[in-house]
Amino acid sequence: MVLKIDVIACLSDNYAYLLRDEESGAAVVFDAPEAAPILDAVAASGGRLDALLLTHHHGDHIEGAAEIVGRTGAELIGAAADAHRLPPLGRAVTDGESFAVGPLGLRGMATPGHTRGHIVYYAPAARALFSGDTLFSLGCGRLFEGSAEDMWDSLLRLAALPPETFIYPGHEYTASNGRFALSVDPDNAALAERLAEVEALRAAGRPTVPVTLKRELLTNPFLRAGDPRLAGRLGLAGRPAVEAFAELRRRKDTFR
Ligand code: ZN
Ligand code: FE
């Protein structure tokens, strides 16, 4: 396999991703914020789309699904837990389930928190995690349906993936996430370095993703809630990491 991943900018700040094996031509897309840019990307890479994989039911992730499926014949794949509120699925994936689209091996990981049925997709051969609205660069999704405990558990499972894994999140939120991260973790040199890079990328009109998990573990406050120094800054020294996580999420919700 010769794997290639295209970042497809959609709407104002969403991303979809096209993962393709250049040898076999097999191709899948992750999330469907809108049809046109995704169909353009598919057409530009040969016109074949085997499957469209959805991370969760929010409109900015599924809006283009029906049209993309209609135009390409792609199989629609999503979380079994969300089958009742997603467009009709050809395959419903459960937590930990490994499956293949042609030669492309994938694993679903349920990550409740942002929504109850949120699922992310890990592609080991591509060293890629398509993390939807669970894990962003320097941030994490808002808790719309799940508790802080749910989201913290989900993030811990993602944090245990190989550190060289590239994270492909559902939104370009890195710059604003970074301002919050700096406010709670001002002495973090790796964060300062990442923010300088993010600023340069955005100034050049380029995406700030993908980013490695290794780098996120050093810079993303929501993955670092177990760090004693960060907990101390929050006034939660010695408390369980999930409490620091919940406090970070609360503060981020009102941060300007
Ligand atoms: Zn969402
Ligand atoms: Fe979203």
Side-chain angles (χ1 to χ4, degrees):
M1 282 195 298
V2 181
L3 298 174
K4 191 172 167 268
I5 300 175
D6 290 340
V7 179
I8 308 168
C10 296
L11 304 175
S12 59
D13 55 27
N14 281 79
Y15 286 129
Y17 300 100
L18 173 64
L19 166 62
R20 186 165 172 273
D21 169 29
E22 307 218 293
E23 249 166 49
S24 65
V28 299
V29 160
F30 298 89
D31 274 342
E34 58 176 334
I38 294 170
L39 289 169
D40 287 350
V42 169
S45 73
R48 173 171 162 189
L49 185 65
D50 299 276
L52 172 61
L53 295 90
L54 304 175
T55 59
H56 66 297
H57 74 287
H58 285 159
D60 65 313
H61 297 259
I62 68 170
E63 207 58 46
E67 187 177 345
I68 293 167
V69 166
R71 295 276 191 92
T72 62
E75 178 176 43
L76 194 62
I77 298 176
D82 263 351
H84 64 286
R85 55 183 180 178
L86 293 172
L89 299 178
R91 177 195 284 273
V93 179
T94 56
D95 182 36
E97 183 177 343
S98 291
F99 58 99
V101 178
L104 302 170
L106 294 157
R107 188 166 90 229
M109 297 172 71
T111 56
H114 180 65
T115 65
R116 247 186 308 281
H118 197 293
I119 195 164
V120 301
Y121 301 97
Y122 177 49
R127 296 193 308 171
L129 178 75
F130 300 92
S131 61
D133 286 2
T134 295
L135 177 60
F136 300 125
S137 183
L138 304 181
C140 75
R142 277 179 188 261
L143 305 178
F144 284 120
E145 296 179 358
S147 65
E149 286 75 13
D150 293 334
M151 186 60 120
W152 178 240
D153 283 349
S154 294
L155 292 177
L156 283 181
R157 296 174 64 218
L158 302 187
L161 289 170
E164 62 273 17
T165 303
F166 287 93
I167 309 298
Y168 291 84
H171 289 269
E172 178 60 65
Y173 287 161
T174 316
S176 61
N177 285 343
R179 284 190 286 280
F180 173 75
L182 195 63
S183 78
V184 291
D185 199 8
D187 306 324
N188 184 334
L191 176 59
E193 190 185 316
R194 171 71 170 144
L195 288 175
E197 179 193 278
V198 165
E199 204 177 309
L201 286 167
R202 294 313 287 156
R206 289 167 58 198
T208 62
V209 295
V211 59
T212 60
L213 176 59
K214 181 179 178 180
R215 212 153 174 212
E216 286 298 302
L217 290 169
L218 292 172
T219 55
N220 186 330
F222 294 95
L223 294 177
R224 292 166 40 70
D227 182 289
R229 213 180 41 165
L230 188 52
R233 280 206 167 267
L234 300 170
L236 293 169
R239 304 295 305 163
V242 65
E243 287 184 26
F245 172 78
E247 176 63 16
L248 284 167
R249 192 55 266 179
R250 259 193 304 276
R251 291 191 186 191
K252 175 69 165 64
D253 287 345
T254 55
F255 183 77
R256 288 288 173 272

